[in-house]
Amino acid sequence: MSMGQPGREVKLGIIGLGGRGRGQMALLATMPDVTIAAVCDLYDDRVKLAHDHLVEHERPAPKTTLNYHDVLAMPEVEAVVIMTSWQTHIQIAVDAMRAGKIVAMEVGGAASIDECWQMVRVSEQTGLGCMLLENCCYGKEEMTLLNMVRKGLFGELVHCQGGYQHDLRSEIGKGDIRRHYRLGNFMRRNGELYPTHELGPIAKYLDLNRGNRMVSLVSMASKARGQTAWLKENRAGDPLCDVTFNQGDIVTTMIRCANGETILLTHDCTLPRPYSRGGRIQGTRGIWQEDNRGIYIDGRSPVDESYWTHQWESDAAYMDEYCHPLWTEYEAFGRRGGHGGMDYLVLRGFIESIQQGKPFPIDVYDTAAWMAITALSEESIAMGSLPVPVPDFTDGKWMSPRAHHEGPYALDW
Amino acid sequence: MSMGQPGREVKLGIIGLGGRGRGQMALLATMPDVTIAAVCDLYDDRVKLAHDHLVEHERPAPKTTLNYHDVLAMPEVEAVVIMTSWQTHIQIAVDAMRAGKIVAMEVGGAASIDECWQMVRVSEQTGLGCMLLENCCYGKEEMTLLNMVRKGLFGELVHCQGGYQHDLRSEIGKGDIRRHYRLGNFMRRNGELYPTHELGPIAKYLDLNRGNRMVSLVSMASKARGQTAWLKENRAGDPLCDVTFNQGDIVTTMIRCANGETILLTHDCTLPRPYSRGGRIQGTRGIWQEDNRGIYIDGRSPVDESYWTHQWESDAAYMDEYCHPLWTEYEAFGRRGGHGGMDYLVLRGFIESIQQGKPFPIDVYDTAAWMAITALSEESIAMGSLPVPVPDFTDGKWMSPRAHHEGPYALDW
């Protein structure tokens, strides 16, 4: 590979310039082979901040607009990066592909299954790729675990778990429903709102859409008490104290895969807790678990015959031994960007795929399947935890080998 | 209380003398106010072992029989302790109550919902109590957590988790289907076979059957790969290698409670892993988690304002501070018996309730509800993870205060 070697210029339009959008734009703007040709948001203060950032960093001044259709109409824009509110990602992506633009999207869940199908169909019809920027697929830990899985350390995989377990009470409690989508989602919806940080890596461990796929799902939601309790204690008198939150504090989702594996997801954002993605991987030969940094591998982990059960090992030595080649090279090159460096990798995976004409490492079928979990979980909860089928967005193509990303950013093989 | 002070004599019949039965019998035989009047098993070698143990320990020689109906016909037997195969507990309990005997049962799940109803109805009709000997309700950790919950440390409870996560591959792989029920259960059934070690304590945290109850359940099973993979690697040539195991390696069960809490159970016995009951308690003010011995409590756990999220504390100091009064007294008295001392406590809870004419701390409604989870989970899995209702075995009595155990062994208040 040639990490850090610039390829041909890619001209981007950036749509959505909240905190995350500006951060990712700034990271893209450090790449010599990327030009930010246009920046767009509903709010002109954000557009100005983005514009000024680029100029201050001696990058070309971008075109600015409050209407994303303007970006889609710019012939010089080859690809767009969508970082708007969760519920607008797919519609903008569909419009962008129809306008001939390649698409990357920040994470978030789908609001309906139909919009996922629409995204898939438009990508198929236009031949344009659509990549979910699931940065956690490129986390050092997740890629190392992927490497362990591929090398058979866990034997045949049987069960994976993960969660988005992040105390967001003070974030949600800021109460800016106009300018941040999160509050509205927690007030109105009830489901697995944010599945992809854990599901993305798990999907790659389990070969989802590549010889395996998710077939059904059931979700259950607890009562919603955490956000209001926090508001009453920390924001007494705020009108938000009287708001009814629909989103259950803990939403648990069980997914069954075609090859018989189960996946357990937890959404846990309105109760006090340390952050954790709650990872767990189990196979016929071993287990890894995030919360205690523990691993146990049959035939490898030390066995104390005098003790009645197995004992955990620290995963530290395994993490070193199985470090993914991309991360070995990346650390030599030097980590950059947010979230421990994984933001940079997922953006480079997108940019370099465009430059080299390769399929995206996270393609439109992955994007649709992972985002669909949100809508499906809402449906299941609305029906009292009925199981719902997970659509096969590949129309059967998951059963056969098909074109996929090859190269350093590959997540499938 | 008067721990260690003997009460009036209680004469017991012991039915079921496998490893667990003999161990619990031996512990009962150390109690000066308990007389083992009869011992019974299907196998005469076990009966002889039990008989000889008592004689060797200078206790009266018990009557011996291979037919439990003989025990039920003995007028001197006041109560029976049933420690047979899982699937025979309830039928023997029903027969025992019909014969006028008070009942204690070792743990295990129910095979049908109807047998749970039968147990409840016969207990109601005869006025005889029926107590599940769920030792984990009396574990030091579980009672300490119960104390924390009652004192409001976690705020309003929202979600609890637990599991029976115990690598039993070598146990099951011994292959003695005639004399151990476990193999047959794993070959034929597919469900949450062993829910009560974690569900019992959780039921007490959540006031189940005392102002709250379980209302619905959904289970999902993974494929079954672990046992056969182990057999092929460790018992090549054994006919068990060719057996089909129905029991999924990982069975996950979500339960919703009347008051909106959710409970997550995991059955995980045929994959390699260290033992864990996977406890987790979450409320509006805090979280406790077993696997990392971690706790975080709003307003109490240290906050590093410069760090982006909360951080775990060790639970050690909390475990000391909130030690349950029963355990403080018990440790002064001296732990005895198996499983860290909790076996003794659950047996004394049974014996002293009889002596004092008190309701059992785990009553027939608790017993029915907890055991029913096994049958319900099998039904849910058989129907592709459909939700199933959890019966209200109290016929509405869960909504109002009712007679309950008071005293040192109390688990409700």
Side-chain angles (χ1 to χ4, degrees):
Chain A
M1 77 169 284
S2 55
M3 173 163 270
Q5 296 300 316
R8 71 159 175 87
E9 181 186 35
V10 175
K11 288 191 176 170
L12 298 179
I14 307 292
I15 301 171
L17 294 163
R20 179 65 175 164
R22 294 199 302 278
Q24 291 288 76
M25 183 206 75
L27 183 54
L28 285 162
T30 66
M31 300 175 188
D33 52 0
V34 171
T35 300
I36 312 292
V39 293
C40 170
D41 195 278
L42 291 175
Y43 301 103
D44 52 13
D45 58 314
R46 291 177 178 173
V47 173
K48 183 170 187 321
L49 280 172
H51 171 276
D52 291 355
H53 174 93
L54 293 171
V55 172
E56 283 159 20
H57 287 77
E58 301 182 351
R59 301 303 311 254
K63 290 185 181 170
T64 61
T65 173
L66 305 185
N67 184 340
Y68 73 83
H69 294 285
D70 294 341
V71 178
L72 304 187
M74 296 176 191
E76 68 272 31
V77 169
E78 180 175 8
V80 294
V81 182
I82 301 166
M83 299 184 280
T84 56
S85 58
W86 294 338
Q87 63 271 21
T88 55
H89 288 177
I90 293 181
Q91 191 52 57
I92 298 173
V94 166
D95 287 348
M97 288 185 283
R98 284 185 174 143
K101 309 303 183 194
I102 299 166
V103 171
M105 281 190 296
E106 259 302 328
V107 298
S112 74
I113 300 305
D114 188 71
E115 67 173 350
C116 296
W117 276 118
Q118 207 181 16
M119 175 171 62
V120 166
R121 294 306 180 213
V122 171
S123 177
E124 290 171 341
Q125 287 153 12
T126 60
L128 294 164
C130 179
M131 174 173 170
L132 190 73
L133 296 173
E134 184 37 83
N135 55 355
C136 291
C137 288
Y138 289 96
K140 184 174 184 183
E141 181 165 293
E142 287 84 350
M143 292 205 86
T144 303
L145 290 162
L146 178 65
N147 201 27
M148 291 180 192
V149 168
R150 298 301 182 196
K151 295 203 161 130
L153 188 70
F154 300 107
E156 180 180 348
L157 291 197
V158 173
H159 180 74
C160 293
Q161 293 186 195
Y164 188 64
Q165 305 179 127
H166 187 182
D167 179 357
L168 292 170
R169 293 173 301 165
S170 63
E171 283 289 313
I172 297 167
K174 286 177 183 164
D176 187 353
I177 196 168
R178 192 177 64 99
R179 295 189 60 157
H180 202 291
Y181 46 88
R182 197 180 267 131
L183 174 62
N185 274 271
F186 277 73
M187 283 170 56
R188 303 304 183 209
R189 302 175 84 176
N190 191 12
E192 175 41 90
L193 294 184
Y194 205 64
T196 67
H197 280 339
E198 65 273 23
L199 180 58
I202 289 170
K204 297 305 184 179
Y205 308 153
L206 293 178
D207 300 315
L208 300 187
N209 290 337
R210 305 276 172 189
N212 199 4
R213 73 176 193 90
M214 299 181 279
V215 292
S216 67
L217 165 160
V218 189
S219 292
M220 184 177 284
S222 77
K223 59 188 168 187
R225 290 290 188 278
Q227 188 63 52
T228 298
W230 184 91
L231 285 161
K232 288 184 174 171
E233 190 156 326
N234 294 277
R235 299 283 184 275
D238 188 309
L240 263 189
C241 292
D242 300 319
V243 156
T244 297
F245 286 87
N246 293 339
Q247 173 69 23
D249 290 325
I250 306 287
V251 172
T252 311
T253 299
M254 307 188 296
I255 303 172
R256 192 166 161 93
C257 300
N259 294 341
E261 304 89 347
T262 45
I263 303 170
L264 182 72
L265 306 180
T266 304
H267 185 273
D268 172 3
C269 296
T270 46
L271 293 175
R273 65 162 300 131
Y275 181 91
S276 170
R277 291 205 289 278
R280 172 162 153 176
I281 299 175
Q282 291 188 259
T284 53
R285 298 196 62 84
I287 179 172
W288 171 84
Q289 186 168 276
E290 177 178 341
D291 278 334
N292 63 343
R293 312 284 354 159
I295 194 165
Y296 175 82
I297 304 294
D298 258 355
R300 173 160 171 166
S301 295
V303 172
D304 176 352
E305 296 290 354
S306 70
Y307 190 62
W308 67 282
T309 184
H310 309 305
Q311 289 172 285
W312 291 105
E313 279 188 277
S314 161
D315 67 0
Y318 291 82
M319 288 292 172
D320 288 343
E321 177 181 344
Y322 286 92
C323 184
H324 191 282
L326 179 66
W327 265 90
T328 305
E329 178 151 359
Y330 185 34
E331 298 205 310
F333 172 70
R335 291 193 198 199
R336 54 206 72 198
H339 293 112
M342 63 191 182
D343 289 347
Y344 180 81
L345 291 181
V346 73
L347 290 172
R348 287 309 294 178
F350 176 66
I351 296 296
E352 294 183 26
S353 296
I354 294 174
Q355 288 168 334
Q356 296 160 24
K358 290 178 178 171
F360 289 131
I362 299 167
D363 67 14
V364 72
Y365 302 114
D366 298 326
T367 300
W370 304 352
M371 294 181 77
I373 298 304
T374 298
L376 295 169
S377 73
E378 290 179 280
E379 293 177 356
S380 177
I381 289 168
M383 296 189 296
S385 300
L386 275 185
V388 294
V390 180
D392 172 15
F393 292 107
T394 75
D395 288 327
K397 291 189 281 288
W398 65 275
M399 290 181 279
S400 322
R402 58 190 171 84
H404 62 281
H405 186 95
E406 292 178 11
Y409 299 97
L411 298 168
D412 304 286
W413 64 84
Chain B
M1 73 169 286
S2 56
M3 173 164 269
Q5 296 299 315
R8 71 159 174 87
E9 182 186 33
V10 175
K11 288 192 177 169
L12 297 180
I14 307 291
I15 301 171
L17 295 162
R20 178 66 174 164
R22 293 200 303 279
Q24 291 287 77
M25 185 206 71
L27 183 55
L28 285 161
T30 66
M31 301 175 188
D33 52 359
V34 170
T35 300
I36 312 292
V39 293
C40 171
D41 195 278
L42 290 175
Y43 301 102
D44 52 12
D45 58 313
R46 291 178 179 172
V47 173
K48 182 169 188 324
L49 280 172
H51 171 277
D52 292 354
H53 175 92
L54 293 171
V55 172
E56 282 159 21
H57 287 77
E58 300 182 354
R59 301 302 312 254
K63 291 186 181 168
T64 60
T65 173
L66 304 185
N67 183 342
Y68 74 82
H69 293 285
D70 295 341
V71 179
L72 304 186
M74 296 176 191
E76 68 272 31
V77 169
E78 180 174 9
V80 294
V81 182
I82 301 165
M83 299 183 281
T84 55
S85 60
W86 294 338
Q87 62 272 22
T88 55
H89 288 178
I90 293 181
Q91 191 53 56
I92 298 173
V94 165
D95 288 347
M97 288 186 283
R98 284 187 175 142
K101 310 303 183 194
I102 299 166
V103 170
M105 282 190 295
E106 260 301 330
V107 299
S112 74
I113 300 306
D114 188 69
E115 67 171 352
C116 297
W117 276 117
Q118 209 181 13
M119 174 172 62
V120 166
R121 294 304 181 215
V122 171
S123 177
E124 289 171 341
Q125 287 154 12
T126 59
L128 294 163
C130 179
M131 175 171 169
L132 189 74
L133 294 174
E134 184 36 82
N135 55 356
C136 292
C137 287
Y138 289 96
K140 184 173 185 186
E141 181 165 292
E142 287 84 349
M143 293 205 85
T144 303
L145 291 163
L146 178 64
N147 201 27
M148 291 180 192
V149 167
R150 299 301 183 194
K151 295 205 160 127
L153 187 70
F154 300 108
E156 179 180 349
L157 290 198
V158 173
H159 180 74
C160 292
Q161 293 184 197
Y164 188 63
Q165 304 178 128
H166 187 182
D167 179 356
L168 293 170
R169 294 173 300 165
S170 62
E171 282 289 313
I172 297 167
K174 286 177 185 163
D176 187 351
I177 196 168
R178 193 178 65 99
R179 296 188 62 157
H180 202 292
Y181 46 87
R182 198 180 267 133
L183 174 60
N185 273 271
F186 277 74
M187 282 169 56
R188 304 303 183 209
R189 302 174 83 176
N190 191 10
E192 175 41 89
L193 294 183
Y194 205 64
T196 68
H197 280 339
E198 66 273 21
L199 180 58
I202 289 170
K204 298 304 185 179
Y205 308 152
L206 293 178
D207 299 315
L208 300 187
N209 290 338
R210 306 277 173 189
N212 199 4
R213 73 177 194 88
M214 298 181 279
V215 293
S216 67
L217 166 161
V218 188
S219 292
M220 184 176 284
S222 77
K223 58 188 169 186
R225 290 289 188 278
Q227 188 63 51
T228 299
W230 184 90
L231 285 162
K232 288 186 174 171
E233 191 155 327
N234 293 277
R235 298 284 183 274
D238 189 309
L240 264 189
C241 292
D242 300 320
V243 156
T244 297
F245 286 87
N246 294 338
Q247 174 67 23
D249 290 325
I250 305 287
V251 172
T252 311
T253 299
M254 308 188 296
I255 302 171
R256 193 168 160 94
C257 300
N259 294 341
E261 303 89 347
T262 45
I263 302 171
L264 182 71
L265 306 180
T266 304
H267 185 274
D268 172 3
C269 296
T270 45
L271 293 175
R273 63 162 301 129
Y275 182 90
S276 170
R277 291 205 289 278
R280 173 162 152 175
I281 300 175
Q282 291 189 258
T284 53
R285 300 196 61 83
I287 180 171
W288 170 83
Q289 187 168 275
E290 177 179 340
D291 278 334
N292 62 344
R293 312 285 352 159
I295 194 165
Y296 175 83
I297 305 294
D298 257 357
R300 172 159 171 169
S301 295
V303 172
D304 176 352
E305 296 289 355
S306 70
Y307 190 61
W308 67 282
T309 184
H310 308 304
Q311 289 170 286
W312 292 104
E313 279 188 277
S314 161
D315 67 0
Y318 291 82
M319 288 292 170
D320 289 341
E321 177 181 343
Y322 285 91
C323 185
H324 192 282
L326 179 67
W327 265 91
T328 305
E329 180 153 357
Y330 185 35
E331 298 206 309
F333 173 71
R335 291 194 197 197
R336 55 205 72 197
H339 293 114
M342 63 191 182
D343 289 347
Y344 180 81
L345 292 180
V346 73
L347 291 172
R348 286 309 294 177
F350 176 65
I351 297 295
E352 295 183 26
S353 296
I354 294 175
Q355 290 168 334
Q356 297 161 23
K358 289 177 177 171
F360 288 131
I362 298 167
D363 67 13
V364 72
Y365 302 114
D366 298 325
T367 301
W370 304 353
M371 293 181 76
I373 298 306
T374 297
L376 294 169
S377 74
E378 290 180 279
E379 294 177 356
S380 177
I381 289 167
M383 297 189 295
S385 300
L386 275 186
V388 294
V390 180
D392 172 16
F393 292 107
T394 75
D395 288 328
K397 292 190 280 290
W398 65 276
M399 289 182 280
S400 323
R402 61 191 169 83
H404 62 282
H405 186 94
E406 291 178 12
Y409 299 97
L411 298 168
D412 304 287
W413 62 83

